[in-house]
């Protein structure tokens, strides 16, 4: 059985048997992937380049953008290759396990980081005078490292548990990446223990941070309603609504897949819903945060202005160079 499992290669079922439809989906996935990379990279670079954005809020946002880049890149290249090859690009058992590990690791860290960002907004709005004291840079770095460590600790044992299963029947995964529920359906043994472990870890990764986020926003909304200034309330709601939109998309879709009973799992529905949190949400993060955040928009405009000015300065000849050219003529 062990030798048989070691030789397993997986294939991914195409979205359609028609090449033209596959190409349309390929173009859509490629466009979303490139937009996600460019948008999140822009946020990270803008935060790094502008000293006015060197605050805990934007520090967490930049780290979220970097996480989204790696998170999407763990899925997109193989998915794009399979779309082009009509599902004929294989992945080995260790390769599938590696992809699953990084997907759970980065996705788990992403969920924890969203809870950290909610805590940051809670402290900023409810305790503004003590904000810099509480949210020290030392604590911010610890929270980032803690998010990564927690994602790693939850991902590694679950991945090892699932890939100790024997795979000896169909090797076609009804998905576009090595998703845990889809892979477990190919095992030729009872997977009740593995499904229970997946449910417990999914509950920890999704529901505990979501509970903390919900509690934070109860206090945040109560504090915002006590603000006397209309402009102050508007700015506070604008900042928080961006975070809430991302949270609802991220947690809503992942909870639908990983917290639903295994008996009600639909491979087709699971594949479609997965597109939201693997391709669409990483696009919406930079769009939502940049469009609803005046400081980030202003910083982006300043950065673009500096880049354009630098290019124009190198292209415009200096007056002394113009005079020399005139005299030589």
């Amino acid at each position: 059985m062990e030798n048989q499992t070691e030789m397993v290669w997986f294939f991914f079922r195409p979205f359609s048997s028609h090449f033209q439809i596959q190409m349309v989906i390929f173009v859509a996935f490629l466009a979303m992937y490139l937009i996600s990379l460019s948008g999140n990279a822009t946020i990270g670079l803008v935060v790094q380049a502008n000293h006015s954005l060197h605050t805990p809020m934007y520090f967490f946002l930049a780290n979220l953008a970097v996480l989204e880049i790696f998170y999407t890149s763990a899925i997109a290249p193989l998915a794009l290759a399979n779309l082009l090859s009509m599902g004929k690009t294989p992945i080995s058992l260790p390769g599938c396990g590696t992809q699953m590990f990084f997907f759970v690791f980065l996705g788990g860290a992403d969920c924890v980081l969203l809870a950290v960002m909610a805590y940051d907004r809670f402290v900023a709005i409810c305790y503004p005078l003590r904000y810099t004291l509480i949210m020290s840079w030392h604590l911010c770095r610890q929270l980032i490292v803690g998010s990564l460590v927690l994602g790693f600790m939850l991902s590694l044992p679950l991945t090892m548990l699932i890939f100790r299963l024997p795979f000896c029947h169909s090797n076609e995964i009804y998905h576009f990446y090595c998703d845990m529920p889809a892979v477990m359906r190919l095992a030729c043994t009872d997977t009740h223990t593995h499904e229970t472990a997946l449910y417990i870890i999914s509950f920890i990764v999704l529901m505990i941070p979501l509970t903390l986020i919900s509690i934070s926003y109860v206090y945040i909304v109560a504090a915002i309603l006590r603000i006397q200034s209309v402009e102050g309330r508007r700015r506070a709601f604008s900042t928080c609504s961006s975070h809430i939109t991302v949270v609802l998309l991220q947690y809503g879709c992942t909870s639908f897949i990983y917290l639903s009973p295994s008996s009600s799992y639909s491979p087709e529905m699971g594949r479609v819903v997965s597109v939201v949190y693997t391709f669409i949400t990483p696009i919406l993060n930079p769009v939502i945060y940049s469009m609803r955040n005046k400081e980030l928009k202003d910083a982006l405009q300043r950065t673009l202005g500096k880049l354009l000015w630098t290019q124009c300065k190198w292209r415009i000849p200096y007056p002394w160079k113009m005079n020399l050219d005139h005299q030589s003529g």
Side-chain angles (χ1 to χ4, degrees), residues 242-261:
S242 303
H243 186 254
I244 291 175
T245 304
V246 173
V247 166
L248 290 176
L249 283 172
Q250 181 81 4
Y251 284 90
C253 294
T254 49
S255 297
F256 178 81
I257 298 297
Y258 294 104
L259 295 181
S260 299

Side-chain angles (χ1 to χ4, degrees), residues 56-57 60 113-132 134-135 139 143 209 211-224 226-227 236-237 239-241 243-244:
M57 173 182 169
F60 293 134
L113 184 54
L114 288 174
V116 169
M117 294 174 70
Y119 174 72
D120 172 69
R121 292 299 83 207
F122 162 72
V123 176
I125 293 174
C126 297
Y127 301 98
L129 300 180
R130 298 171 56 193
Y131 177 71
T132 54
I134 297 174
M135 298 302 296
L139 177 62
L143 291 171
T211 301
L212 296 175
I213 291 171
S214 301
I215 294 173
S216 297
Y217 274 101
V218 168
Y219 285 100
I220 287 172
V221 171
I224 290 175
R226 290 197 297 268
I227 297 176
F237 271 121
T239 302
C240 295
S241 62
H243 186 254
I244 291 175

Side-chain angles (χ1 to χ4, degrees), residues 293-322:
N293 191 300
K294 187 176 184 300
E295 290 181 349
L296 192 60
K297 283 193 293 186
D298 293 342
L300 179 59
Q301 290 174 357
R302 288 196 301 270
T303 303
L304 292 176
K306 289 179 182 178
L307 291 174
L308 292 173
W309 168 248
T310 302
Q311 290 183 352
C312 292
K313 186 170 66 173
W314 282 103
R315 291 179 180 179
I316 297 176
Y318 290 101
W320 61 268
K321 187 175 185 297
M322 293 175 64

Side-chain angles (χ1 to χ4, degrees), residues 18-171:
H18 299 286
F19 182 75
Q20 292 82 358
I21 296 178
Q22 286 283 106
M23 288 303 97
V24 171
I25 299 174
F26 169 80
V27 172
F29 274 31
L30 179 61
M32 289 189 289
Y33 179 51
L34 294 177
I35 293 171
S36 171
L37 288 182
S38 58
N40 284 293
T42 299
I43 285 184
L45 293 174
V46 168
V47 172
Q48 178 66 27
N50 289 268
H51 190 268
S52 61
L53 300 182
H54 291 182
T55 63
M57 173 182 169
Y58 294 106
F59 173 72
F60 293 134
L61 181 58
N63 278 274
L64 178 67
V66 173
L67 265 182
E68 295 286 8
I69 291 174
F70 286 106
Y71 172 75
T72 311
S73 297
I75 303 298
L78 184 60
L80 293 170
N82 272 281
L83 284 168
L84 279 178
S85 64
M86 295 293 292
K88 295 178 181 178
T89 302
I91 183 171
S92 65
L93 184 65
C96 192
T98 301
Q99 185 187 54
M100 183 181 292
F101 165 76
F102 279 105
F103 173 74
V104 178
F105 165 45
L106 297 170
D110 194 298
C111 290
V112 176
L113 184 54
L114 288 174
V116 169
M117 294 174 70
Y119 174 72
D120 172 69
R121 292 299 83 207
F122 162 72
V123 176
I125 293 174
C126 297
Y127 301 98
L129 300 180
R130 298 171 56 193
Y131 177 71
T132 54
L133 180 63
I134 297 174
M135 298 302 296
S136 64
W137 284 112
H138 180 67
L139 177 62
C140 292
R141 295 187 186 97
Q142 285 184 327
L143 291 171
I144 292 295
V145 173
S147 301
L148 295 173
V149 170
L150 185 58
F152 178 86
M153 292 176 62
L154 293 174
S155 176
L156 184 61
L158 184 59
T159 305
M160 293 177 63
L161 180 66
I162 289 178
F163 278 87
R164 290 177 65 88
L165 288 168
F167 300 97
C168 49
H169 293 302
S170 172
N171 62 346

Side-chain angles (χ1 to χ4, degrees), residues 281-298:
T281 303
I283 293 176
L284 294 180
N285 281 351
V287 172
I288 290 172
Y289 280 111
S290 60
M291 289 184 65
R292 300 187 65 86
N293 191 300
K294 187 176 184 300
E295 290 181 349
L296 192 60
K297 283 193 293 186
D298 293 342

